């Protein structure tokens, strides 16, 4: 579903991401971790087609992001950590706008369902400025999921959510994966990754340090110990 | 404690300067700095070191008018501060200042001192700049002849800068004190309407007394008064010393004393009362007991959210959370939802969705008072210019010519200023660029969609300015304005109007995409010399590109009409020229939209907006 081969992204002479290869299959949840400045967000933005990679190939649902960006983007959703919304569109109008962009003829029942699920139904006619940060984040999620994407990128998905919202977000991620979506999520919250990820990719200074299933990565850095937490693995891998 | 705060300000300032110096390694900032420095040298410093004779911006009517205009504006601002106090807080702090200073063991008075101290940097810089711009610091024979300050250049500059500094500081303190006082009254449950009514009555009474005293004094300015700044200064001084008028203007007389001083002795004599007035204002500010913190926090949150929305999450790292402490007041929603312009069907051209979205945004923006006031000012300005133009050039049936002249001027201003005022296109969505780029759309589709709403709006306005003359002008007024000619001309111009609007809108959008750092700089306050230069380059660049884009079409139209009207008649020649213009402008617009979309697909705001 997501295939990345030798991805590189340079800003001038600065290599933000270098020679990165991995793949995420349907139903898999890949946790992208690394210290600050490791290249996580740059990687996600390349995968989502926001910025062009300097080198490498990205395929989303079989479509090459460089040569068939429209088809690739039609299959994906990118949910950034900071809610990006249109100031003068209400919650419901946001859904109408996104539906038109993706050409979703019967979006209304699905939209209402999402608003219900994300507890936004009471705020449906309010502008983003009237919503709390958590609500705005939920609206971004509703917009992202409206076209039933097969590939979803989450950048710090729990930012600004309350405990109930966090629980629902975790459930939502797992449910989408069970339904066959390929998910990549970038987060510093390692306990979240342990709970929802099937795979993990550790980056450091733009390069892949380790990758594979949680068990594989843990085994590599456990040094013979048992029950090594992801936090410990992360520290060992990035030091 | 103040020393720590002073350290913060000075260190921040020096680091800011260092950052800007380092940024000059980027050619575009270097170019901007050169342009800004050249402007400052040729238009300010050079005037300072050379006599002002021959300088188009030297002391003269323009400078006098500028001073009068600014004085009027200042008085108006004070009146507005009392009659319609802004929602803005008395003191503005950044989010970082709030995070560090508000929980710190600092008294409210120390926080005020810090704010006042911070504002002094800007006030001092402004005083120096205005002293140069107003020509007051220049050495000229006329200044010496009219009894202006004698002494070394440095003394003259210092005296005038101090004069302006006292004026600006007193003005700034007055506004802060007014804001605090009114907020405190409101907090205490005072009936603010009564206070405003009382303030209005006092202001009207004061203005009435001023006018009465000025009329009874029999002093009226002669034409020569306005020929140079010193003549005006002398006139103002003379009026300030008159009996009743002098008393009525005493606060202004005291505040402007050092500024209006003609010699060093007089300057030092007037310095005492002026400083006393300044101190009184300062005491007024620090003694008003009002919890300004809430307003300052809300204001900082709004400013922070706005800045984050543009550049926040684009630096490759997570954005700091908006820590909405329960003690902090929520940011008030400034707008309400508006009625949808039309029903957006879920299936169809995606560009229509952008049109729909941007019309919604436009409707909301147009509802703001600022735009309404700007529109009113433009209409008034056009009316005055139109009336003057027609009054001076025609003696015929003015009833029809007046609205036609106004329409011509309006069309000019719509094309010139419209794209700057109506920004509901890519410029308005710069902060949402990442989101737009994840949509399954080609860049040109996004560009077309984004340009639709402002094009529609500006074209509609242009069509009005075309239709009015088409109805009013007839063969009785202008012999060759036959019915067929009017009909055809109006139709042709109506067809051309959207293409011209697209070109005009493409220019600022393209500049924004090509130079997002510059564009952002042009929308933010301050920014130093390189930013000033960049803004100038931006404006001039826009003008030149627009001329280059429209030039070929106009030339082709003129040549075609000239060459063909003898053969096929004027009406047919106009139609032919219109087709040529549409072909050229349409081609330019298509290429422009394609390039804009292509650049939009490729550009990366995160790397562009890094300092």
């Amino acid at each position: 579903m997501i295939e990345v081969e030798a991805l590189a992204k340079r800003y001038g002479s600065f290599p933000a991401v270098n020679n990165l290869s991995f793949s995420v299959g349907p139903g898999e949840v890949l946790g992208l971790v690394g210290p600050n400045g490791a290249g996580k967000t740059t990687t996600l933005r390349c995968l989502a087609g926001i910025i062009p990679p300097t080198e490498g190939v990205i395929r989303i649902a079989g479509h090459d992001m460089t040569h068939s960006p429209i088809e690739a983007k039609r299959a994906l959703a990118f949910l950034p950590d900071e809610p990006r919304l249109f100031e003068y569109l209400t919650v419901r109008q946001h859904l109408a706008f996104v539906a038109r962009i993706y050409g979703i003829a019967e979006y209304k029942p699905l939209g209402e369902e999402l608003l219900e699920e994300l507890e936004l139904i009471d705020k449906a006619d309010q502008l983003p400025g009237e919503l709390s940060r958590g609500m705005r984040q939920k609206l971004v999620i509703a917009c992202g999921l409206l076209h039933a994407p097969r590939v979803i990128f989450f950048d710090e998905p729990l930012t600004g959510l309350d405990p109930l919202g966090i629980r629902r977000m975790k459930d939502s991620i797992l449910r989408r994966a069970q339904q066959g979506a390929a998910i990549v999520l970038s987060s510093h919250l390692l306990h979240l990754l342990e709970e929802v990820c099937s795979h993990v990719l550790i980056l450091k200074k733009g390069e892949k340090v380790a990758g594979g299933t949680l068990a594989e990565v843990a085994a590599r850095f456990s040094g013979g110990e048992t029950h090594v937490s992801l936090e410990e693995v992360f520290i060992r891998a990035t030091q | 404690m103040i020393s720590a705060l002073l350290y913060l300000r000075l260190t921040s300032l020096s680091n800011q300067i260092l950052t800007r110096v380092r940024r000059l390694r980027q050619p575009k900032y270097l170019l901007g700095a050169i342009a800004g420095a050249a402007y400052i040298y040729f238009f300010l410093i050079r005037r300072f070191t050379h006599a002002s004779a021959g300088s188009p911006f030297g002391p003269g009517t323009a400078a006098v008018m500028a001073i009068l205009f600014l004085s009027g504006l200042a008085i108006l601002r004070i009146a507005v501060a009392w009659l319609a106090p802004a929602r803005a807080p008395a003191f503005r702090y950044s989010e970082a200042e709030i995070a560090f200073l508000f929980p710190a063991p600092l008294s409210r008075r120390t926080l005020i001192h810090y704010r006042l101290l911070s504002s002094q940097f800007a006030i001092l810089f402004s005083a120096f700049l205005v002293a140069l711009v107003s020509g007051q610091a220049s050495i000229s024979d006329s200044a010496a002849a009219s009894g202006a300050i004698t002494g070394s250049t440095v003394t003259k500059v210092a005296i005038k800068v101090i004069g302006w500094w006292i004026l600006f500081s007193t003005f700034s303190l007055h506004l802060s004190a007014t804001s605090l006082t009114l907020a405190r009254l409101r907090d205490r449950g005072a009936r603010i309407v009564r206070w405003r009514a009382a303030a209005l009555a006092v202001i009207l009474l004061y203005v009435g007394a001023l006018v009465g005293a000025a009329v009874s004094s029999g002093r009226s300015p002669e034409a020569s008064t306005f020929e140079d700044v010193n003549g005006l200064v002398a006139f103002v001084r003379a009026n300030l010393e008159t009996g009743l008028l002098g008393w009525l203007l005493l606060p202004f007389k005291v505040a402007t004393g050092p500024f209006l001083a003609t010699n060093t002795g007089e300057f030092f004599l007037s310095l005492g009362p002026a400083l006393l007035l300044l101190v009184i204002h300062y005491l007024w500010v620090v003694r008003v007991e009002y919890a300004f913190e809430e307003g300052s926090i809300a204001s900082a949150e709004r400013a922070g959210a706005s800045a984050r929305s543009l550049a926040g999450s684009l630096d490759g790292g997570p954005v700091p959370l908006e820590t909405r402490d329960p003690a902090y007041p929520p940011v008030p929603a400034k707008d309400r939802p508006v009625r949808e312009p039309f029903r957006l069907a879920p299936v169809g051209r995606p560009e229509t969705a952008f049109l729909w979205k941007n019309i919604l945004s436009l409707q909301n923006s147009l509802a703001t008072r600022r735009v309404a006031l700007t529109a009113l000012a433009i209409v008034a300005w056009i009316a005055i210019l139109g009336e003057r133009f027609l009054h001076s050039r025609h003696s015929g049936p003015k009833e029809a010519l007046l609205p036609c002249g106004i329409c011509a001027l309006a069309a000019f201003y719509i094309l010139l200023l419209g794209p700057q005022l109506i920004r509901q296109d890519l410029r308005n969505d710069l902060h949402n660029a990442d989101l737009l780029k994840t949509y399954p759309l080609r860049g040109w589709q996004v560009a077309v969609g984004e340009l639709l709403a402002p094009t529609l709006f500006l074209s509609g306005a242009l069509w009005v300015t075309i239709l009015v003359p088409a109805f009013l002008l007839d063969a009785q007024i202008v012999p060759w304005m036959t019915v067929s000619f009017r009909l055809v001309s109006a139709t042709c111009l109506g067809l051309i109007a959207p293409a011209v609007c697209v070109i005009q809108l493409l220019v600022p959008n393209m500049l924004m995409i090509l130079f997002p750092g510059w564009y952002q700089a042009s929308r933010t306050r301050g920014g130093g010399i390189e930013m000033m230069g960049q803004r100038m380059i931006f404006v001039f660049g826009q003008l030149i590109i627009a001329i280059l884009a429209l030039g070929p079409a106009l030339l082709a139209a003129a040549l075609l009409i000239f060459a063909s009207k003898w053969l096929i008649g004027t009406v047919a020649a106009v139609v032919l020229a219109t087709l040529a213009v549409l072909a050229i402008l349409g081609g330019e617009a298509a290429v422009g939209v394609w390039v804009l979309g292509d650049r939009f697909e490729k550009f990366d705001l995160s790397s562009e907006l890094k300092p």
Side-chain angles (χ1 to χ4, degrees):
Chain A
M1 199 74 88
I2 305 170
E3 293 161 274
V4 179
E5 289 169 21
L7 173 69
K9 177 68 186 176
R10 283 188 289 276
Y11 293 108
S13 59
F14 174 73
V17 178
N18 192 29
N19 195 28
L20 188 62
S21 299
F22 63 91
S23 63
V24 185
E28 290 179 359
V29 182
L30 175 76
L32 201 56
V33 292
N36 291 331
K40 302 185 297 293
T41 300
T42 300
T43 303
L44 278 187
R45 295 176 78 217
C46 284
L47 294 182
I50 295 168
I51 52 174
T54 311
E55 287 166 20
V57 177
I58 298 166
R59 272 188 291 274
I60 304 291
H63 304 289
D64 188 311
M65 183 57 86
T66 307
H67 299 111
S68 310
I70 306 301
E71 291 73 16
K73 287 178 181 180
R74 205 173 283 286
L76 69 83
F78 175 66
L79 306 177
D81 56 344
E82 183 69 11
R84 307 251 158 235
L85 296 163
F86 298 104
E87 206 179 345
Y88 297 113
L89 298 193
T90 63
V91 169
R92 204 166 258 136
Q93 286 169 341
H94 267 89
L95 295 180
F97 176 75
V98 171
R100 177 67 174 244
I101 294 294
Y102 287 89
I104 311 161
E106 299 300 324
Y107 81 95
K108 281 191 177 171
L110 181 59
E112 294 296 308
E113 196 181 306
L114 279 168
L115 293 183
E116 284 280 2
E117 181 189 334
L118 295 163
E119 295 172 314
L120 279 171
I121 199 76
D122 295 338
K123 315 277 182 188
D125 294 315
Q126 291 187 3
L127 292 172
E130 299 169 275
L131 304 176
S132 69
R133 192 192 187 288
M135 290 288 182
R136 293 204 299 272
Q137 184 72 9
K138 286 178 179 178
L139 175 55
V140 168
I141 294 164
C143 290
L145 299 181
L146 190 66
H147 66 287
R150 286 179 287 159
V151 172
I152 309 173
F153 301 114
F154 289 96
D155 193 1
E156 293 290 352
L158 304 188
T159 302
L161 298 182
D162 57 23
L164 190 60
I166 289 172
R167 166 65 66 85
R168 288 192 171 158
M169 174 57 77
K170 288 178 194 169
D171 293 345
S172 179
I173 292 170
L174 289 171
R175 193 167 61 250
R176 306 280 160 192
Q178 282 162 6
Q179 288 168 355
I183 295 172
V184 176
L185 73 91
S186 159
S187 179
H188 287 291
L189 303 174
L190 300 178
H191 63 86
L192 162 76
L193 302 181
E194 276 186 308
E195 282 181 54
V196 300
C197 293
S198 57
H199 293 68
V200 67
L201 179 67
I202 302 177
L203 293 180
K204 184 182 176 185
K205 292 182 180 173
E207 296 197 352
K208 180 176 169 180
V209 176
T213 64
L214 280 169
E216 286 167 356
V217 174
R220 186 176 157 190
F221 292 95
S222 63
E225 297 172 44
T226 53
H227 304 300
V228 179
S229 69
L230 184 58
E231 184 180 84
E232 192 55 42
V233 168
F234 174 80
I235 290 168
R236 290 179 189 178
T238 55
Q239 271 183 342
Chain B
M1 193 59 75
I2 282 292
S3 61
L5 299 178
L6 192 63
Y7 167 80
L8 172 65
R9 290 305 307 172
L10 290 175
T11 314
S12 301
L13 188 67
S14 76
N15 286 341
Q16 200 176 12
I17 291 168
L18 272 175
T19 307
R20 284 185 182 149
V21 170
R22 285 196 200 107
R23 198 157 54 181
L24 295 183
R25 282 181 294 199
Q26 291 182 51
K28 60 187 179 187
Y29 288 104
L30 182 64
L31 202 64
I34 291 169
Y39 177 80
I40 287 176
Y41 176 75
F42 287 109
F43 291 92
L44 301 177
I45 307 288
R46 202 155 166 266
R47 289 182 54 233
F48 168 72
T49 51
H50 294 72
S52 60
S55 165
F57 297 97
T61 311
V64 171
M65 294 307 286
I67 289 173
L68 282 177
F69 177 72
L70 288 174
S71 309
L73 218 58
I75 292 169
L76 193 69
R77 179 70 187 85
I78 290 174
V80 168
W82 280 100
L83 296 175
R87 284 180 171 272
F91 302 111
R92 288 180 193 276
Y93 297 85
S94 70
E95 283 188 300
E97 286 169 339
I98 285 171
F100 281 93
L101 302 182
F102 279 31
L106 300 173
S107 67
R108 183 171 290 158
R109 186 170 290 191
T110 309
L111 288 174
I112 293 175
H113 283 152
Y114 170 73
R115 193 63 258 159
L116 296 179
L117 194 69
S118 302
S119 65
Q120 283 306 309
F121 291 96
I123 288 176
L124 268 172
F125 181 73
S126 303
F128 184 74
L129 206 65
V130 173
L132 289 177
V133 171
S134 68
Q136 286 294 291
S138 65
I139 309 164
S140 69
D141 293 339
S142 61
S146 61
I149 294 166
T150 54
S152 72
T153 303
V154 174
T155 312
K156 286 179 181 179
V157 175
I159 284 175
K160 288 306 172 190
V161 169
I162 292 170
W164 280 111
W165 171 76
I166 290 174
L167 266 178
F168 286 158
S169 296
T170 310
F171 181 67
S172 168
L173 284 171
H174 184 89
L175 291 181
S176 296
T178 306
S179 175
L180 283 170
T181 306
L182 289 171
R184 182 170 177 247
L185 286 170
R186 196 184 296 116
D187 251 26
R188 291 193 163 191
R191 287 181 180 271
I192 210 73
V193 178
R194 283 187 193 171
W195 270 94
R196 283 185 194 172
L200 181 64
V202 169
I203 288 167
L204 287 177
L205 205 65
Y206 181 71
V207 171
L210 271 182
V211 173
V215 170
S216 63
S217 71
R219 287 178 177 275
S220 56
E222 294 170 6
S224 59
T225 304
F226 296 97
E227 281 176 5
D228 103 358
V229 172
N230 298 298
L232 179 79
V233 168
F235 175 76
V236 173
R237 280 174 54 80
N239 272 298
L240 287 177
E241 283 160 10
T242 320
L244 179 59
L245 202 58
W247 282 107
L248 284 171
L249 293 170
L250 185 65
F252 296 100
K253 183 182 170 182
V254 170
T256 55
F259 167 70
L260 295 174
T262 53
N263 56 59
T264 315
E266 201 175 299
F267 169 76
F268 282 112
L269 274 178
S270 57
L271 198 59
L275 287 174
L276 183 66
L277 187 68
L278 188 69
V279 169
I280 290 170
H281 272 90
Y282 159 75
L283 291 174
W284 181 11
V285 168
V286 295
R287 284 181 185 274
V288 176
E289 287 179 10
Y290 171 67
F292 60 84
E293 290 90 337
E294 283 189 6
S296 298
I297 290 166
S299 169
E301 278 195 354
R302 276 197 297 274
S306 173
R308 274 195 300 276
S309 75
L310 184 68
S313 68
L314 301 170
D315 60 358
V319 172
L321 300 187
E322 181 188 355
T323 46
R324 181 64 56 76
D325 189 301
Y328 287 12
V331 179
K334 62 175 183 176
D335 302 293
R336 315 299 307 170
V338 292
R339 181 186 282 191
E340 293 178 18
F342 56 88
R343 188 184 157 272
L344 183 69
V347 181
R349 298 289 311 176
E351 294 89 342
T352 314
F354 287 91
L355 172 70
W356 177 81
K357 170 182 81 66
N358 288 342
I359 291 178
L360 273 171
S361 171
L362 196 59
Q363 283 174 309
N364 221 321
S365 296
L366 289 178
T368 61
R369 270 184 255 168
R370 194 190 298 174
V371 173
L373 283 173
T374 308
L376 199 67
I378 290 171
V379 168
W381 182 238
I382 288 169
I384 291 166
L385 285 182
E387 198 279 329
R388 282 196 153 200
F389 174 77
L390 292 164
H391 188 75
S392 60
R393 294 180 186 235
H394 294 275
S395 55
K398 285 180 193 169
E399 293 78 10
L401 282 177
L402 180 62
C404 294
I406 290 173
C407 282
L409 281 165
F412 175 74
Y413 278 102
I414 287 165
L415 283 174
L416 191 72
L417 299 179
Q420 304 305 322
L421 291 173
I422 311 295
R423 291 164 169 260
Q424 274 66 24
D425 46 34
L426 266 182
R427 292 170 289 174
N428 204 37
D429 274 338
L430 184 63
H431 64 285
N432 275 330
D434 276 10
L435 180 68
L436 300 184
K437 290 173 85 174
T438 63
Y439 291 155
L441 303 174
R442 292 281 177 196
W444 65 264
Q445 288 180 292
V446 176
V448 167
E450 290 281 19
L451 290 174
L452 280 176
T455 301
L456 193 69
F457 187 85
L458 292 180
S459 300
L462 278 181
W463 287 333
V464 173
T465 66
I466 292 166
L467 282 175
V468 171
F471 275 112
L472 293 178
L473 287 180
D474 57 26
Q476 284 184 324
I477 301 167
V478 185
W480 44 270
M481 279 281 181
T482 59
V483 174
S484 58
F485 181 82
R486 284 153 59 196
L487 194 67
V488 169
S489 302
T491 309
C492 290
L493 286 172
L495 289 171
I496 291 169
V500 177
C501 290
V502 170
I503 301 275
Q504 285 292 84
L505 286 161
L506 269 172
V507 176
N509 276 283
M510 189 73 84
L511 286 170
M512 188 269 293
I513 290 289
L514 291 176
F515 308 103
W518 288 22
Y519 177 78
Q520 183 50 25
S522 73
R523 297 191 69 188
T524 51
R525 288 185 297 169
I529 187 174
E530 83 279 14
M531 291 299 182
M532 188 173 80
Q534 284 173 9
R535 286 185 197 118
M536 286 166 51
I537 291 172
F538 193 87
V539 170
F540 283 122
Q542 182 171 343
L543 199 64
I544 289 166
I545 294 167
I547 289 168
L548 286 175
L550 297 177
L554 292 175
L555 187 67
L559 287 174
L560 272 173
I561 290 176
F562 179 75
S564 64
K565 73 173 182 178
W566 313 107
L567 294 169
I568 57 176
T570 308
V571 172
V574 167
V575 174
L576 190 66
T578 302
L579 291 174
V581 167
L582 281 175
I584 294 170
L585 292 184
E588 287 178 352
V591 171
V593 165
W594 186 84
V595 173
L596 179 66
D598 184 59
R599 295 306 309 174
F600 178 71
E601 280 179 3
K602 289 174 182 161
F603 107 119
D604 181 5
L605 195 59
S606 62
S607 60
E608 289 285 353
L609 292 186
K610 276 181 180 168

